[in-house]
Amino acid sequence: MTALLTDLNPEQLEAVTWPHQSALILAGAGSGKTRVLTTRIAYLLQSGLTQPQNLLAVTFTNKAAREMVARISTMLPINIRGMWIGTFHGLCHRMLRAHYEDAGLPQAFQILDMADQLAVIKRILKERSLDEKVLAPRQLQWFINNAKEEGLRASQVDTRGSFNRTLAECYQVYEAVSMRGGTVDFAELLLRCYELLSRNEILRDHYRGRFEHILVDEFQDTNRLQYQWIKLLAGSGSQQHAAIFAVGDDDQSIYAFRGAHVGNMRDLEKDFSVPKIIRLEQNYRSQGNILDAANALIENNKGRLGKNLWTAAGKGESVRIYYAATDVDETSFIVDEIKALHAEGLSLSEIALLYRSNAQSRVLEHGLFNASISYRVYGGMRFFDRQEVKHALAYLRLVASPDDDNALLRVINFPPRGIGARTLEQLQDQAEILGTSLWQAALKVCEGRKAVTTRGDQPGRGIAGFVNLVLSMQQACEGQPLPEIIRRVVDQSGLVAHYQAEREGNNERLENLKELVNAATSFVHEAEDDSLTAFLAHASLEGGEHQAEGYQDAVQLMTVHAAKGLEFHSVFISGLEEGLFPHENSRNEPNGLEEERRLMYVAMTRARQRLYLSYAESRMLHGQVRVNVPSRFVDEIPEELLKRLRSSGFSGAGYRQGLSGTGQNTVSTAYSRQGRGKHTPVSAAVRVAPQGLNTAGLHIGQQVSHTKFGTGTIVNYEGNGSDMRVQVNFHQTGTKWLSLTYAKLVPL
DNA sequence: AGTTTGTGTATTTTT
DNA sequence: TACACAAACT
């Protein structure tokens, strides 16, 4: 116990040992949030204040949930099964599985991910012959999800005005389709579970009696429905049973655009009579100047709960800022700095390149690629999102639940078996008439045909072929273990044969199909429920890793959103221009600018030692060169914390005027465009030393030796004191920037 | 039925 | 610019 609580600062200790009463922990970036959360759990258990089965901990991402489980396991020798730890969706799903009948769902209900949901919506719009221009599928999807997050069913939404009526009607149809197919989308998991608990008193009392402590991570990201769900589970007023332990940071709320409601923090304080907010303000991550800069920036937001991060570490380095002529110039600056940092011994994986929008990664990737610096881009397609995997999953869904129209439509003609648009139309009409699923209609069609004549239908083709295929799959899977089911379905589906038959580029697809079997094998080992249905739910709820590559030391490229929760030795935030960051679309959104500022705050607080900010005067965007003004966020950082790597008097080079770097002490970097957009440096950064360089007995032209790079000549330098770096032209390895504080240079 | 050409459109994203 | 998706072609 004492071991558990040592090394906690007073605020952390107060949070961890908080009595059985609701709490709101305002946990700044790098203040040991996860540690407090997990230590609190360990403390409650170890001191016998509660039992594992009386705890519920909820997070947003599977990754966070896994991390929590892992950390608790290292702190406590006890078995933590019995504890409910998971994402909102995962926990709701668990309850719905346990009480599917009470929730009005079929036993094998399937979960639709965003893409599946969008496909259903497109189908509905097409059936109702609503033009995309009148009602975009995404708009309807947004509408439905929003309504659900507000707790509204189709019958409850606003129907005033013809457009609203159309939306409501579509929502109604969507509900009916979901019901018939036994499918549940992400928002539905939450709403259904909420409704289940609010309507079913017995169940509600059961869970209220069970959970004494409800711990919520990233509380600032909860939406209204999630908060209602927590409230319902905890009980409120005189009904209150559980204590809520909410940990969050209003300054890091960057998901309002998808329904997160920071106001939940204030509501919690009120609804659960939280006596005081505990503030974790000591930061264990970043050095002083970085924190001061971040604090100064976020000060510009109104209505904050209020918090000022501080550190016991020193001021550290200044925040470096670079004003580039163009995006290409900006990239080349970043590349040079990365080379220097790497040369000084920093691993590439300790360097992050952050940007506001994904489109910005292109130039950066290009630059890194040309410089042969390995990098890794986060985001993009996940395993269970891949086409071939989705096809295989669709077959599996049909085995588990054949009335799932979405799954059926996905693979009824894939691999192609001669079912064209008109056949499909007939089938859909048939289903419409019978008021059943497509699968039921298909069964009817087959029966009818058998009775009349099977006129030369080739086996395995047409509707009959499909129906027989699915039936035989179902038969083959009866009573088989999960990996075997998947092996058989993948095999019988003809997907492998199909991809093999195609000319090229399908190796990866075939590998992924094999990988699906592996995924099932490991799933069987880990999950307590190893049924097919459970695996399918797992696939929907946990899209799988973005990239399954092994570890390789590489520069990390990602959006600022993706960087939340991570930290790096050195961070580059690029594209700090008005219109990009803050993004111009944020202007139309209420409090959009403040969310952008929080985003910037999150970005800055990712850095431990060194933070680089950069902006480009002109940038290629959407195929056009745009001239931009520096981001207001740069101006919000006190000048004394900054170290400008290019004089701010710099003006117009690059795209507009060609090269022009002027004046002494300015870095002039020029590029020529060659061939198809390939760029090559014409002259590397050159800085004319104003006088000699007499620090540490070094001067330009001085011969030095380095343990790793051998001997070379000092050609350039910048900065002073501990920040001083010199550029050395090594005989073997070429020119490198080295920091005098790190590199051990011996004058010759 | 599959391939090609054309058009439109560009934040952020987890479950 | 570049990609996704849809209509149009063969």
Side-chain angles (χ1 to χ4, degrees), chain A residues 286-334:
Chain A
S286 313
Q287 292 192 316
N289 286 335
I290 295 171
L291 285 186
D292 291 348
N295 282 335
L297 174 102
I298 203 68
E299 281 282 296
N300 292 288
N301 272 2
K302 298 194 175 71
R304 301 167 57 218
L305 290 171
K307 171 171 44 56
N308 221 30
L309 292 181
W310 61 278
T311 177
K315 287 278 165 203
E317 302 175 18
S318 302
V319 174
R320 290 164 160 80
I321 183 156
Y322 182 77
Y323 186 1
T326 67
D327 49 352
V328 175
D329 176 23
E330 180 186 42
T331 299
S332 123
F333 163 74
I334 292 172

Side-chain angles (χ1 to χ4, degrees), chain A residues 509-521:
Chain A
R509 298 218 149 122
L510 292 165
E511 284 302 311
N512 286 331
L513 288 175
K514 271 188 215 156
E515 187 54 38
L516 189 60
V517 180
N518 295 339
T521 310

Side-chain angles (χ1 to χ4, degrees), chain A residues 68-87:
Chain A
M68 203 183 285
V69 171
R71 285 175 73 159
I72 297 167
S73 316
T74 59
M75 285 189 220
L76 291 178
I78 69 158
N79 194 340
I80 57 165
R81 83 178 152 69
M83 252 182 91
W84 279 41
I85 301 182
T87 62

Side-chain angles (χ1 to χ4, degrees), chain A residues 603-622:
Chain A
M604 293 172 76
T605 51
R606 296 311 95 196
R608 286 201 295 267
Q609 313 251 333
R610 193 178 282 198
L611 176 61
Y612 289 92
L613 310 178
S614 61
Y615 46 101
E617 188 178 44
S618 66
R619 169 182 305 277
M620 183 73 87
L621 197 68
H622 306 328

